[in-house]
Amino acid sequence: MIRKVQTDEYGLLTDFLYEAIFIKEGDVPPDRAIVYEPELSLYVDKFGESSDDEALCYVLNGEVVGAIWVRIMEDYGHIDNQTPSLAMSVLKPYRHQGIGHQLLQAMLDLLAKKGYTGVSLSVSKENTVAIHLYQKLGFIPLQERKEDLLMMCYLGPLRHVGQSLIGIVAIPHW
């Protein structure tokens, strides 16, 4: 079941932020304290204080197993001050079951209903599973950087334009 994250659950976003860090097979995961570094803590610090903060979660058997949230911030996925940046993760035992797809679709629908024209994100170029999911739901790469891709999904009337571009523009499938 997908529902809004309750105010008293915002602390869970810190745990899901850590789970969102892409770790290559065989690499040692970073210390959990990394989420308190300024470049990551901005995803969760004072979450809920801005009208642009939105968070959804996936609950299975009473446990929150996935979360997706957006806010307008100057992060790795920043486009402009009208476009929210997205973060999401699903706990490892629940990955590859369609939960991420459902969460992402629900967030795109919510943002479109709220009148946003797009949402952006940053994803590791090596995270091919996530890139495929994002492309499947209409995200297009805007910029390839050293280690990541800046991607954008157009919403509302522009959503179909973004999806059409996927078929027209030669977008590499990493």
Side-chain angles (χ1 to χ4, degrees):
M1 167 182 83
I2 295 175
R3 65 167 172 78
K4 283 196 168 204
V5 174
Q6 304 301 306
T7 306
D8 64 341
E9 297 174 313
Y10 287 160
L12 290 174
L13 297 181
T14 301
D15 295 330
F16 281 98
L17 178 61
Y18 181 78
E19 292 295 323
I21 298 169
F22 179 69
I23 303 164
K24 292 186 284 186
E25 188 70 36
D27 281 1
V28 176
D31 186 278
R32 290 188 79 82
I34 194 169
V35 297
Y36 300 106
E37 296 293 325
E39 63 272 9
L40 290 181
S41 66
L42 62 93
Y43 286 86
V44 294
D45 282 349
K46 299 180 181 178
F47 192 86
E49 292 185 11
S50 169
S51 62
D52 296 306
D53 292 352
E54 290 288 346
L56 301 172
C57 62
Y58 194 98
V59 180
L60 189 63
N61 299 323
E63 179 186 4
V64 176
V65 300
I68 186 167
W69 65 102
V70 297
R71 65 188 333 191
I72 294 179
M73 59 185 155
E74 292 195 30
D75 69 324
Y76 298 110
H78 182 74
I79 301 279
D80 59 39
N81 291 332
Q82 289 75 46
T83 305
S85 294
L86 181 142
M88 77 176 232
S89 67
V90 175
L91 298 178
K92 285 181 186 174
Y94 302 96
R95 292 179 185 169
H96 311 291
Q97 298 177 29
I99 293 171
H101 183 279
Q102 291 176 58
L103 280 169
L104 187 54
Q105 185 64 61
M107 182 58 79
L108 295 176
D109 292 345
L110 175 64
L111 293 173
K113 285 177 188 167
K114 287 190 76 174
Y116 289 98
T117 57
V119 60
S120 62
L121 59 83
S122 168
V123 60
S124 168
K125 290 193 292 189
E126 295 185 47
N127 193 348
T128 57
V129 172
I131 292 169
H132 179 71
L133 170 63
Y134 298 141
Q135 287 181 323
K136 189 175 181 180
L137 287 172
F139 281 81
I140 57 172
L142 294 182
Q143 182 181 18
E144 181 176 352
R145 300 181 285 214
K146 183 178 178 183
E147 296 181 11
D148 67 326
L149 294 174
L150 175 62
M151 298 184 82
M152 172 87 171
C153 182
Y154 293 96
L155 302 171
L158 296 175
R159 180 140 173 77
H160 298 292
V161 173
Q163 288 175 327
S164 298
L165 287 174
I166 290 174
I168 297 169
V169 180
I171 298 174
H173 179 74
W174 287 274

